Amino acid sequence: MITCGPIGFMRTLAAALVFASAAPLAIAQVHATAPASDEAPRAPTIEPARSLLRAVSAPFLTEDESRALRLEHGLWTEADLSDPRWAAKAAIAVGAWDHPSLQDEGADPLDRAEALVAIGEGEAALDLLNDLDSIRALRLRAESLLVLGRTEDAAREAARAVEDRASMSGEDASALVEALRAGLVRTRVEGAQHAAGDFHGIIGALGQARQGAPLSWRVRLLEAEVLQAKSNPAEARAAITEALRHHPRLAPAWRLIAEQQVDTFGFDAATAIAGRLDELTGELDAGPSAAGALVRARAALRVGDPETAERELAGVLERFPNHQGALSLHAAAAARAFDFDEAQRRVDAFAERSPGLADAALAVGVALSDARQYAEASAFLNRAVELEPNRAEGWIELGMLEMQWGRDSAALDALRTAARLDPFHTRVDNALRLFTELLTYDTLDSEHFRVRFRPGIDRVLAEEMLVELEAMHERVTGDAPGSIRHVPSERTLIELMPDHAWFSVRITGMPKIFTVAAATGRVIAMESPKSGPRSSTGPYDWLRVVRHEYVHTVTLSRTNNRIPHWLTEAAAVHLEDAPRDEQRARLLAGAYAAGELFTMDRINLGFIRPEKPTDRALAYAQSHWMYEFMIERFGDEAPLRFMDAVAEGLLQPRAFENALGVREADFYESFMAWAGEQVVAWGLALPRGVPSVEALRTRAAIAAMRDDEGEQDAPARRGFVFDPDAEPVFDLGPITTIDADSLPRVTPAQLDAWLDEHPAHPKLLGLKVRAELERRNGRPDASMLELLERYAEARPVAELPHRMLVTLYRSGEAIASGRSPEGVIPHLEWLDVREVYSPVYAIELARLYADAGARTPALEKAERAVRISPFNAEYRDFAARISLVQRDIPRAERHIRALTVLEPDEPMHRARLERLRELRASEH
């Protein structure tokens, strides 16, 4: 099974990779305590900085000074909030926008204006800001004008805020932050072609301010926001941590953490933090947090649950009807439900409130890009950049979308514009370097595919791919059992990237990901299957891997890119046309026995947000398992009916009812019953009535104690109970050591006696094989032949008996015992069909078939060895020789031509190539 996949979530993957590199200290400071399995996740606990606690409790402070510090840093007490002036400051910090203090005329008008800007009430905010000329007032006026769509006026007010260069000195941290925030408004409107938009200038100024004001959370919060906007979540997280250590109740910082969790599919953690935001507003007896609701809504959109998003947003919009964040996600929710007309209506309504602002169009475009609705996403993102042509964010999203969609020219144009507006964005820089690289590549075309590759040694593989790809196309799209029966409308682009770093940048914009191939719709990128330090895996069966990815391309096309993640992965694994290996079978059996298989509402998270090292592999394996069940129970066309149902816009629960005629819960219940039967068939669980090893040990212990004591009731008094009719017992682990004082150890004689009684018992046979190998220091001998064959039959997924039998044949012991030399072939075939990364079984089979005069299978296996390791000269030479024996001159010529590239200094290859060309010419 290949663990690659489609890239609807690659923006998330890139964020997760960078996020994972955060400083350990920062992670530790914000990391939540792991809850017990039955507990809901909890928000992280952040302890205030010791320096802050010392400052707040300094004995020389007056009560007013101490209260002011407590309010400034989120350490207030209930008594501190008795005055509306102070309560308003607390309400601003926690995002309690409808707190009564913010309606009180006694509160600071700047605080009241801050709240009004936050909920989209620009006109009311401007009324409060009349005749106020502080830097904060100018910044708020600029933001108010921006909310109203008066962009030129907003830029003018923002410029006034940054004109006072003294405010940029770092001596007054609050003034500096206000000036920099105003500068960000100006940058959004006019672009980054001025000092206030310079990233390094901003970070440098904030660093200077940190030194001058070590307790300032405002500096750290702005730093976190800027770093997050530049696609640097690791450093942003460190800054967020510091902000919260200097203001533990700071809602914007908590929301940033939650947004990072949503970006990386950490939905449980995001929901816990949203709950923390609700707690913060609840402490002030205010309504639920709008920020918390927006976090939950965005998380729901990312998992394709627009109905939950709509419910969350309805509560916010009922209280704050002009809240721009809520209105933007409201439009995205309609789009995620594939109601594009309603999404457009909501985007238009947003434009009426805030002319010239792209927030709603941008949110819709991002949501549709996540859902792989490339055409519609492109339309909304193009609308976003039309509305705000100097806002880098829209161009970045558009460029990344077009890049995944395979529209290189449009992607390059958008990314160049993004780089001009935001020269310091990591993913944009990587993407542009990639396009510079791709401009040097060559291409080869067939009817359904285009292969793009770096000139040089990769041409050897590229020239061979098209014939194999067209045959693969027939298997995937045709009418054979398991096929998808759909042909994409566009030619698929296969990008053969020269190494892992370039492949990773092609997919995510970052230089390292966890796989060797990935599909983004009509584009499939793959890492060249070479050995060497720049390779992540070395050789691999590229055709099997690309077939997996092409199934994604075809299923996405058949479903209008609406197929659930688990189902496209299931179809892709199914069409690898390879049997399940032992590792995957044991993984499934173990999860089944432990009750740890994914539920239907959690399986997609196994791919994109694994909580355990085995989760991603389990998600692939279980999805395929459910797909097999779907076909067996509901027919070969059942998955296709399901795909067509989601293509029509039905969400997964409805698709089950529409396509299969069962509720999702009933499907899963039936699958679980079937799965148990499968595990028994694999020899990894015991059928009813067959005792487990532990039961046999217990029975032997009871018999021994009866013999020792002569008492019929001794077992009952000692607490031993054996029920031969118990439910099947899963017995997957190694031998369990038994306390010598209670149960006897298993002796070889006892094991043999049990096998006489249960000759096909898979666990007993496995223990016997292991015991015999231990006696022989891991090397089998001919006396084990029958035992190994019995074990292979009793546990059909087990790899060990086949490997040991191959060893016996290769050593000659099996043949000396009367076995035919060809007897090794079924065992090598068993191993080879499950192998992805090594050609050793294929080349050995090729030699065996050649020695036996079986030329056709010899050539097939030689070609398979070359396919796994296409740059191996030895395998090429062998394949050329077999081709010549078969009189397949074109094939032999192809391999020898490759040898002239792989070993350019070997004159024999060119001489052989010339001779072949002469031979081919003479035959014509």
Side-chain angles (χ1 to χ4, degrees):
M1 183 184 71
I2 310 298
T3 55
C4 309
I7 312 303
F9 305 108
M10 279 302 174
R11 175 191 296 104
T12 297
L13 179 56
L17 288 163
V18 179
F19 180 77
S21 66
L25 176 60
I27 294 291
Q29 288 170 329
V30 193
H31 193 66
T33 303
S37 58
D38 294 334
E39 295 180 24
R42 298 189 295 273
T45 298
I46 301 216
E47 298 297 331
R50 293 181 181 177
S51 57
L52 173 62
L53 296 177
R54 286 196 300 267
V56 171
S57 59
F60 54 80
L61 294 176
T62 67
E63 177 53 33
D64 286 346
E65 290 171 334
S66 182
R67 179 177 60 243
L69 272 177
R70 291 195 297 270
L71 287 165
E72 172 66 12
H73 293 281
L75 300 175
W76 59 74
T77 66
E78 186 175 354
D80 291 332
L81 307 182
S82 58
D83 189 305
R85 292 174 297 168
W86 313 132
K89 295 189 179 301
I92 291 295
V94 303
W97 309 124
D98 51 1
H99 191 270
S101 64
L102 292 171
Q103 317 299 322
D104 195 298
E105 293 186 0
D108 186 337
L110 292 174
D111 289 336
R112 295 174 62 198
E114 192 88 56
L116 290 168
V117 172
I119 61 174
E121 301 294 345
E123 291 286 2
L126 288 174
D127 289 342
L128 287 172
L129 295 169
N130 284 334
D131 303 324
L132 298 177
D133 285 319
S134 68
I135 293 179
R136 184 184 178 194
L138 291 171
R139 187 265 299 173
L140 284 168
R141 192 147 43 233
E143 292 181 351
S144 301
L145 291 165
L146 188 66
V147 164
L148 296 171
R150 295 167 55 184
T151 54
E152 292 183 5
D153 293 339
R156 187 163 46 251
E157 290 299 305
R160 288 180 59 199
V162 299
E163 281 173 0
D164 183 0
R165 300 301 297 172
S167 69
M168 304 289 283
S169 68
E171 295 175 3
D172 183 340
S174 296
L176 172 66
V177 169
E178 294 296 345
L180 292 177
R181 287 192 178 280
L184 293 177
V185 174
R186 185 180 176 191
T187 298
R188 174 172 171 175
V189 175
E190 296 180 348
Q193 299 88 352
H194 52 78
D198 180 77
F199 171 68
H200 291 303
I202 292 173
I203 295 299
L206 290 172
Q208 185 180 4
R210 258 200 324 272
Q211 294 178 2
L215 298 183
S216 174
W217 57 265
R218 300 175 193 275
V219 170
R220 292 164 173 84
L221 177 62
L222 178 57
E223 183 179 16
E225 292 170 351
V226 171
L227 289 166
Q228 183 81 343
K230 303 299 179 184
S231 196
N232 190 347
E235 292 187 28
R237 182 66 177 258
I240 296 167
T241 301
E242 285 302 301
L244 286 168
R245 291 184 70 232
H246 292 87
H247 193 315
R249 287 172 162 137
L250 188 60
W254 283 112
R255 182 176 177 185
L256 275 177
I257 298 177
E259 293 292 348
Q260 285 190 344
Q261 293 293 337
V262 174
D263 286 342
T264 55
F265 287 85
F267 299 125
D268 290 342
T271 301
I273 295 169
R276 173 63 177 149
L277 289 166
D278 286 337
E279 291 172 4
L280 291 174
T281 57
E283 289 174 3
L284 301 186
D285 295 325
S289 167
L294 265 59
V295 166
R296 287 187 289 267
R298 186 163 169 259
L301 291 179
R302 297 225 70 193
V303 295
D305 184 4
E307 295 176 355
T308 295
E310 291 270 8
R311 288 195 298 272
E312 291 287 348
L313 295 167
V316 178
L317 292 172
E318 182 178 354
R319 295 158 59 206
F320 311 122
N322 290 319
H323 193 295
Q324 289 194 313
L327 290 169
S328 299
L329 287 179
H330 194 231
R336 198 61 184 82
F338 308 119
D339 189 343
F340 302 131
D341 291 340
E342 177 62 17
Q344 185 62 61
R345 190 192 69 75
R346 294 178 184 182
V347 169
D348 293 342
F350 184 95
E352 290 179 11
R353 290 181 172 91
S354 302
L357 295 194
D359 298 59
L362 182 60
V364 169
V366 169
L368 290 175
S369 178
D370 260 0
R372 303 185 295 273
Q373 303 295 295
Y374 293 135
E376 293 81 4
S378 179
F380 279 102
L381 289 174
N382 273 289
R383 177 60 178 152
V385 299
E386 289 172 9
L387 289 167
E388 293 193 69
N390 289 321
R391 186 177 179 183
E393 185 180 0
W395 291 105
I396 293 169
E397 294 294 343
L398 179 61
M400 294 299 178
L401 167 77
E402 299 288 2
M403 188 174 168
Q404 289 191 9
W405 198 7
R407 304 205 311 182
D408 291 351
S409 178
L412 188 56
D413 288 345
L415 290 169
R416 282 173 172 165
T417 303
R420 177 176 57 81
L421 295 171
D422 186 354
F424 306 103
H425 197 283
T426 303
R427 291 181 69 204
V428 172
D429 179 65
N430 285 338
L432 285 173
R433 288 194 299 108
L434 170 69
F435 273 114
T436 301
E437 166 82 1
L438 291 177
L439 288 174
T440 68
Y441 281 24
D442 291 338
T443 59
L444 296 170
D445 291 347
S446 66
E447 181 180 359
H448 298 102
F449 298 94
R450 166 170 290 175
V451 177
R452 180 156 63 182
F453 59 95
R454 178 191 276 182
I457 195 172
D458 282 341
R459 178 176 285 275
V460 169
L461 175 58
E463 290 180 342
E464 297 178 336
M465 292 177 72
L466 292 175
V467 172
E468 298 266 27
L469 290 171
E470 288 296 337
M472 173 196 76
H473 169 82
E474 291 301 317
R475 170 67 183 102
V476 173
T477 65
D479 292 328
S483 297
I484 307 303
R485 303 178 193 177
H486 171 83
V487 177
S489 60
E490 298 178 286
R491 177 185 283 160
T492 298
L493 174 63
I494 310 291
E495 292 190 333
L496 179 60
M497 307 308 294
D499 55 44
H500 187 70
W502 278 119
F503 161 71
S504 301
V505 171
R506 178 63 181 92
I507 295 304
T508 69
M510 294 299 178
K512 186 171 180 61
I513 59 175
F514 59 81
T515 187
V516 295
T520 64
R522 64 174 291 268
V523 179
I524 296 173
M526 59 175 284
E527 178 183 336
S528 185
K530 301 188 190 85
S531 300
R534 295 181 63 83
S535 169
S536 64
T537 62
Y540 64 89
D541 186 345
W542 69 264
L543 183 61
R544 180 173 168 183
V545 169
V546 171
R547 183 163 63 239
H548 179 112
E549 300 307 326
Y550 188 54
V551 174
H552 293 318
T553 296
V554 176
T555 56
L556 289 168
S557 175
R558 177 166 181 145
T559 63
N560 298 322
N561 292 339
R562 297 174 185 178
I563 188 170
H565 196 159
W566 72 267
L567 188 61
T568 188
E569 295 295 355
V573 175
H574 188 71
L575 277 165
E576 288 176 26
D577 290 334
R580 183 178 287 105
D581 64 23
E582 182 178 11
Q583 181 182 5
R584 302 295 185 262
R586 284 187 175 275
L587 181 65
L588 290 168
Y592 180 89
E596 294 178 354
L597 288 176
F598 291 109
T599 56
M600 295 304 300
D601 63 337
R602 299 288 296 179
I603 190 164
N604 286 335
L605 295 180
F607 298 105
I608 54 185
R609 182 71 178 196
E611 296 177 358
K612 296 185 297 186
T614 56
D615 276 0
R616 184 175 281 114
L618 178 60
Y620 279 100
Q622 183 183 332
S623 296
H624 179 216
W625 212 15
M626 294 193 298
Y627 197 89
E628 289 179 318
F629 168 70
M630 186 184 291
I631 289 174
E632 182 173 313
R633 183 62 54 88
F634 299 96
D636 188 57
E637 293 191 0
L640 306 183
R641 296 197 303 271
F642 196 101
M643 292 178 199
D644 292 341
V646 296
E648 295 172 3
L650 297 183
L651 298 180
Q652 181 167 294
R654 288 280 311 281
F656 271 104
E657 297 174 8
N658 180 280
L660 307 184
V662 297
R663 295 186 307 117
E664 182 180 73
D666 294 335
F667 171 88
Y668 189 76
E669 182 179 354
S670 298
F671 160 71
M672 290 295 287
W674 174 86
E677 298 169 359
Q678 288 269 296
V679 176
V680 171
W682 297 339
L684 296 177
L686 303 174
R688 185 181 299 277
V690 176
S692 69
V693 173
E694 289 303 322
L696 291 169
R697 284 171 170 154
T698 302
R699 188 169 65 184
I702 292 172
M705 286 184 290
R706 284 174 176 168
D707 292 342
D708 290 343
E709 299 187 11
E711 299 179 24
Q712 295 300 312
D713 61 345
R717 289 192 288 105
R718 293 192 179 208
F720 292 104
V721 178
F722 172 60
D723 180 3
D725 297 320
E727 289 294 313
V729 178
F730 287 86
D731 201 349
L732 303 172
I735 300 173
T736 302
T737 301
I738 303 171
D739 186 347
D741 291 333
S742 58
L743 295 178
R745 294 181 182 275
V746 176
T747 64
Q750 182 67 75
L751 187 55
D752 289 341
W754 289 342
L755 276 170
D756 288 341
E757 187 179 354
H758 305 284
H761 195 298
K763 182 62 182 238
L764 294 176
L765 286 167
L767 295 177
K768 178 67 173 176
V769 166
R770 196 176 83 172
E772 294 297 323
L773 287 173
E774 287 176 354
R775 285 177 52 203
R776 295 165 174 79
N777 296 318
R779 296 286 300 178
D781 62 28
S783 67
M784 292 181 64
L785 278 167
E786 183 182 353
L787 173 63
L788 290 167
E789 289 166 346
R790 287 170 59 197
Y791 183 39
E793 183 177 357
R795 186 165 276 170
V797 299
E799 179 180 325
L800 177 66
H802 297 283
R803 286 196 291 106
M804 294 296 99
L805 286 164
V806 168
T807 299
L808 289 172
Y809 276 96
R810 287 181 59 122
S811 69
E813 293 185 61
I815 298 168
S817 298
R819 303 298 172 94
S820 166
E822 290 77 23
V824 71
I825 289 177
H827 303 293
L828 284 170
E829 289 280 11
W830 191 99
L831 293 165
D832 183 50
V833 75
R834 291 162 175 80
E835 182 56 56
V836 179
Y837 300 103
S838 174
V840 294
Y841 301 125
I843 199 68
E844 180 68 12
L845 281 164
R847 289 171 176 147
L848 285 170
Y849 284 130
D851 291 345
R855 296 173 180 176
T856 298
L859 186 56
E860 290 174 353
K861 289 300 178 180
E863 288 288 348
R864 170 160 163 74
V866 168
R867 188 167 67 238
I868 295 174
S869 189
F871 305 104
N872 184 297
E874 178 187 350
Y875 299 155
R876 287 278 180 184
D877 185 75
F878 185 83
R881 293 175 186 276
I882 297 294
S883 300
L884 287 171
V885 171
Q886 283 282 76
R887 303 295 298 173
D888 190 337
I889 305 303
R891 189 188 300 269
E893 184 178 345
R894 170 168 61 83
H895 287 302
I896 294 176
R897 186 169 59 249
L899 284 169
T900 66
V901 177
L902 299 176
E903 296 180 337
D905 297 329
E906 176 54 70
M908 180 181 65
H909 298 323
R910 296 195 178 279
R912 293 167 70 194
L913 185 60
E914 288 301 319
R915 177 70 184 116
L916 281 175
R917 287 172 175 170
E918 293 171 3
L919 183 62
R920 182 158 52 87
S922 67
E923 291 182 350
H924 286 80

